[in-house]
């Protein structure tokens, strides 16, 4: 119980220290030290004001650290600002911390890693596993990111576009990570939408809601992936779908199209189809054309090839795929699917096996391996 409370308060306590003048890296270390102290002390003597206790202890830890630093004399004047024990403001500082972690000076991958560590509470090992890199590599990446933002204050945050991208990447990581961050990403995006009148913020919120609505149907009871076409649509959250579609329609009416609105429009067309066979693939291709114009992303072009294959037939999809780099992630999986639909089972089985070897996570690898086995079994009949 205490650990859950500590986790929920961590972003806010960290933001308080940074706002009071602490550099990001030292502040995070101080907060971690305060959390360790809380785990030790609270079971026997729980505080009446948990956040105020953490702020007070973390600030003292920060001051202890800065006094031993080369810049001790410059920071000693902060001693007089030590907050007295007592009630702390109840404001949620998580969104401010996202702006700090999403500073434009960071690469998107570094911004997400720093956000997952500082705001999401994931360990360096968990983040490294999510990125499929050694723990030491991820530790170095996070350390560099913390050094980069050490001199950045909360009044000099990252821009909205960077925050939106980080929120979406955190949402996607929350879908499959050990710590569920998807709902938290939606909550913070709601806060941002309430604070900023921007159609792309609304587009991202709509996209998250539409994806989240399908979450329960994405996996089978044994944990295996269920492709969109095979999902039980009765398990989709119709309330979230209706909310997402409503938010999207309002955003699109402003005629300031952005990539998140276009992605949400595609998700809405999938959500609107009563069955997979009734999906409006022609309109989905049109939205992918808009998304390609906005982003010129090879991943978008890859997804467009799938849509073209559904709308105009697998050979048209393969023709669209031929223009893309074969080393693109999931290229082999898309090629396998289109070859299977075209009746070339031998090529499809080979490509599914190849895609399984390149899969970014265990669940996807197992799914692609089963697809290869299924086709090989068909070929043996």
């Amino acid at each position: 119980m205490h650990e859950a409370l500590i986790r929920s308060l961590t972003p806010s306590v960290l933001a308080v220290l940074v706002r009071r003048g602490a550099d990001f890296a030292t502040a995070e270390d101080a907060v971690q030290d305060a959390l360790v102290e809380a785990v030790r002390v609270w079971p026997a003597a729980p505080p009446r004001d948990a956040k105020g206790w953490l702020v007070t202890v973390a600030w003292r830890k920060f001051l202890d650290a800065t006094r031993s630093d080369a810049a001790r004399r410059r920071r000693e004047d902060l001693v007089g600002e030590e907050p007295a024990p007592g009630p702390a403001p109840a404001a949620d500082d998580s969104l401010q911390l996202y702006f700090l972690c999403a500073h434009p000076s960071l690469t998107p991958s570094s911004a997400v890693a720093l956000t997952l560590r500082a705001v999401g509470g994931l360990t360096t090992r968990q983040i490294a596993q999510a990125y499929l890199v050694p723990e030491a590599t991820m530790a170095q990446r996070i350390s560099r990111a913390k050094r980069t933002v050490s001199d950045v204050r909360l009044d000099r945050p990252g821009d909205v576009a960077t925050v939106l991208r980080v929120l979406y990447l955190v949402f996607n990581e929350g879908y499959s990570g050990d710590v569920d961050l998807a709902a938290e990403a939606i909550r913070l995006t709601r806060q941002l939408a309430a604070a900023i009148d921007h159609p792309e913020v609304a587009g991202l919120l709509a996209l998250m809601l539409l994806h989240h609505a399908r979450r329960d149907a994405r996996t089978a009871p044994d944990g295996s992936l269920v492709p969109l076409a095979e999902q039980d649509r009765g398990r989709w959250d119709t309330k979230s779908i209706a909310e997402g579609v409503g938010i999207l329609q309002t955003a699109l009416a402003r005629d300031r199209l952005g990539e998140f609105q276009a992605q949400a429009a595609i998700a809405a067309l999938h959500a609107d189809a009563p069955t997979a066979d009734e999906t409006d693939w022609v309109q989905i291709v049109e939205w992918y054309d808009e998304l390609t114009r906005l982003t010129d992303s090879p991943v978008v072009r890859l997804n467009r090839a799938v849509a073209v294959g559904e709308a105009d037939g697998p050979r048209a999809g393969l023709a669209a795929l031929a223009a893309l780099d074969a080393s693109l992630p999931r290229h082999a999986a898309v090629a396998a699917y289109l070859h299977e639909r075209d009746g070339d089972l031998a090529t499809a089985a080979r490509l599914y096996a190849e895609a399984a070897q390149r899969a970014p996570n265990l669940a996807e690898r197992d799914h692609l391996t089963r697809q290869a086995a299924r086709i090989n079994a068909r070929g043996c009949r």
Side-chain angles (χ1 to χ4, degrees):
M1 178 178 177
H2 290 308
E3 291 184 4
L5 176 60
I6 289 170
R7 180 185 292 276
S8 69
L9 291 173
T10 298
S12 187
V13 174
L14 179 56
V16 169
L17 264 65
V18 173
R19 192 163 53 240
R20 288 181 176 274
D23 66 90
F24 190 93
T26 309
E28 191 191 30
D29 290 340
V31 171
Q32 294 301 320
D33 288 342
L35 300 185
V36 171
E37 186 73 6
V39 171
R40 185 182 68 83
V41 171
W42 286 11
R48 283 179 294 181
D49 178 17
K51 180 179 175 181
W53 190 98
L54 284 171
V55 168
T56 299
V57 174
W59 186 255
R60 289 172 179 164
K61 298 286 186 183
F62 164 72
L63 291 177
D64 288 343
T66 56
R67 286 192 185 101
S68 63
D69 189 81
R72 175 180 56 82
R73 285 185 298 235
R74 182 175 61 85
R75 294 172 175 166
E76 276 184 345
D77 58 346
L78 297 176
V79 174
E81 299 178 19
E82 179 178 340
D92 185 346
D93 298 296
S94 297
L95 193 56
Q96 285 182 300
L97 208 54
Y98 265 79
F99 270 91
L100 178 63
C101 293
H103 196 268
S105 59
L106 296 175
T107 64
S109 61
S110 293
V112 174
L114 182 60
T115 303
L116 291 174
R117 181 71 184 90
V119 188
L122 273 68
T123 66
T124 303
R125 176 174 295 180
Q126 288 172 319
I127 301 170
Q129 290 173 343
Y131 276 83
L132 301 177
V133 299
E135 184 176 354
T137 300
M138 182 53 66
Q140 292 175 354
R141 182 181 301 177
I142 293 174
S143 294
R144 285 196 299 269
K146 287 195 287 187
R147 286 196 299 271
T148 299
V149 300
S150 287
D151 296 326
V152 177
R153 310 298 272 269
L154 284 176
D155 59 351
R156 294 172 54 205
D159 60 14
V160 174
T162 306
V163 171
L164 289 180
R165 190 159 302 284
V166 171
L167 280 169
Y168 186 45
L169 292 171
V170 171
F171 172 81
N172 287 334
E173 176 57 33
Y175 243 173
S176 56
D178 294 332
V179 178
D180 183 358
L181 296 174
E184 176 68 359
I186 291 174
R187 184 183 72 82
L188 291 171
T189 306
R190 285 190 190 279
Q191 282 190 8
L192 190 59
I196 299 175
D197 183 20
H198 194 299
E200 271 294 82
V201 178
L204 176 59
L205 178 57
L207 178 61
M208 287 180 174
L209 289 169
L210 290 164
H211 279 325
H212 205 58
R214 302 199 301 259
R215 181 176 185 176
D216 289 345
R218 292 176 73 244
T219 55
D222 63 359
S224 60
L225 292 179
V226 180
L228 177 61
E230 300 173 17
Q231 289 177 13
D232 178 1
R233 300 186 178 216
R235 298 179 64 194
W236 290 0
D237 183 348
T238 55
K239 182 178 178 181
S240 292
I241 290 173
E243 182 185 5
V245 169
I247 292 171
L248 173 64
Q249 289 174 337
T250 301
L252 291 176
R254 300 179 63 176
D255 198 25
R256 290 170 54 195
L257 184 64
E259 61 176 293
F260 288 121
Q261 293 171 74
Q263 289 186 60
I266 293 168
L269 286 167
H270 284 298
D272 188 54
T275 66
D277 291 339
E278 296 174 86
T279 303
D280 188 347
W281 286 106
V282 172
Q283 193 173 168
I284 287 176
V285 171
E286 292 174 355
W287 276 111
Y288 270 121
D289 289 339
E290 289 286 351
L291 193 54
T292 300
R293 179 182 61 79
L294 289 166
T295 67
D296 195 28
S297 164
V299 175
V300 170
R301 293 180 184 275
L302 183 69
N303 292 329
R304 179 184 178 278
V306 177
V308 169
E310 298 289 353
D312 301 327
R315 294 193 178 181
L318 287 168
L321 188 65
L324 301 176
D325 187 345
S327 65
L328 193 66
R330 297 187 172 89
H331 184 284
V334 170
Y337 173 73
L338 292 172
H339 277 290
E340 180 185 0
R341 288 200 59 224
D342 195 39
D344 187 352
L345 299 186
T347 300
R350 175 178 59 79
L351 287 170
Y352 273 129
E354 179 182 322
Q357 294 178 342
R358 301 179 182 177
N361 56 65
L362 182 60
E364 191 169 332
R365 187 189 71 187
D366 289 347
H367 171 72
L368 293 167
T369 300
R370 282 193 294 271
Q371 294 295 88
R374 173 181 57 80
I375 294 178
N376 281 327
R378 283 176 59 188
C380 294
R381 293 174 186 169

